[in-house]
Amino acid sequence: MTAILVAAGAFLMTLVGGFVAQRTGDRRHLVLGFAAGLMLGVVAFDLLPEAMRAAPDEIHGVPQALLMFAAGFLVIHIIERAVAIHRGHEGEYAEHTHGHRHAGPGPHSQGVGLTAASALVGHSLMDGFAIGAAFQAGSTVGTVVAIAVVAHDFADGFNTYTITRLYGNNRRRALTLLGADALAPVTGAAITLLFTIPEQLLGLYLGFFAGFLLYLATSDILPEAHSPHPSRTTLCCTLVGVGFMWLVIGLAA
């Protein structure tokens, strides 16, 4: 029951993160820069080290966790390229039939946003698993893990709302996914009362998700942040995001 109560704290922090993201107004570029920094920090300081620890076995000289990291990066890259090609053909068709192209994100780009946000919900579910498993190992370990999870669930809520909206989804969809992301840690913690996830499988998932998140941060969010406002302030927000995650992980270590 302690794990579920702690997960409730993660629930509240996720909602706070989403609330901050939707209140940014014309400072969206700063939000995106900060979000990218948070995502880079989560990948470098949290997901990859944990994945390497949980799935260190090698295949042809490369740790399984890193193979899944590359797979996660490539899977979202292939999906995005396929969507871009499809949108390009749609644009040509629109140009021939109507004399102009339709601007703004289409349903396919919205789908990428929903997929990305859903992956973040899956990550938050794993956060709940992590809290539950840690408390099974002992109260001290559980407390340390809980601090890290609750702190970075602010980033999860922030990123879930931001990514969903970035790809052209409406506010209602973004809030729905934010609610799912907030409930996910509580659900994950409750599930661990029934059984424990094999560590190897958890490590492979974390590696895959790290690659997925890195692609979104570097190929989508950072370019979007800098395109309308190529400013030093945006870059500073990214650095602050990375530093914030470093501080959180360091305090929880």
Side-chain angles (χ1 to χ4, degrees):
M1 287 302 295
T2 302
I4 295 178
L5 291 175
V6 171
F11 168 86
L12 293 175
M13 285 299 290
T14 302
L15 293 180
V16 169
F19 177 79
V20 170
Q22 65 176 306
R23 294 289 178 179
T24 54
D26 60 355
R27 296 179 180 176
R28 181 169 174 267
H29 61 292
L30 302 180
V31 172
L32 291 174
F34 183 68
L38 290 175
M39 293 165 75
L40 289 172
V42 169
V43 169
F45 309 141
D46 185 18
L47 295 179
L48 275 181
E50 182 63 24
M52 288 288 292
R53 185 193 65 78
D57 294 342
E58 296 184 354
I59 298 179
H60 198 59
V62 179
Q64 293 178 3
L66 292 184
L67 289 173
M68 291 301 291
F69 171 71
F73 189 97
L74 291 173
V75 164
I76 185 60
H77 174 63
I78 291 170
I79 291 173
E80 283 223 325
R81 288 304 90 204
V83 167
I85 292 171
H86 189 75
R87 285 216 313 261
H89 289 312
E90 283 181 340
E92 291 171 9
Y93 176 77
E95 193 171 296
H96 287 308
T97 56
H98 302 292
H100 66 279
R101 295 189 180 189
H102 295 287
H108 297 286
S109 60
Q110 291 175 8
V112 172
L114 293 175
T115 300
S118 297
L120 284 168
V121 174
H123 176 230
S124 292
L125 185 68
M126 291 299 179
D127 282 347
F129 283 136
I131 292 174
F135 273 102
Q136 288 178 11
S139 59
T140 302
V141 177
T143 301
V144 171
V145 170
I147 291 172
V149 169
V150 170
H152 93 252
D153 270 354
F154 171 86
D156 282 351
F158 189 97
N159 290 333
T160 297
Y161 186 88
T162 300
I163 288 173
T164 307
R165 294 287 282 154
L166 175 64
Y167 285 91
N169 290 284
N170 59 36
R171 185 170 177 270
R172 182 177 179 180
R173 284 183 179 177
L175 289 175
T176 298
L177 282 164
L178 176 63
D181 192 41
L183 288 171
V186 181
T187 303
I191 290 174
T192 60
L193 298 176
L194 304 176
F195 63 89
T196 303
I197 301 178
E199 187 176 46
Q200 176 79 2
L201 183 61
L202 180 60
L204 295 177
Y205 167 79
L206 292 176
F208 183 88
F209 181 68
F212 191 93
L213 210 59
L214 182 66
Y215 182 89
L216 293 179
T218 57
S219 298
D220 285 349
I221 294 182
L222 277 178
E224 180 72 16
H226 286 281
S227 58
H229 299 277
S231 65
R232 293 179 180 178
T233 309
T234 304
L235 177 59
C236 287
C237 286
T238 302
L239 295 176
V240 169
V242 174
F244 175 76
M245 285 312 306
W246 186 13
L247 177 65
V248 168
I249 300 301
L251 289 174

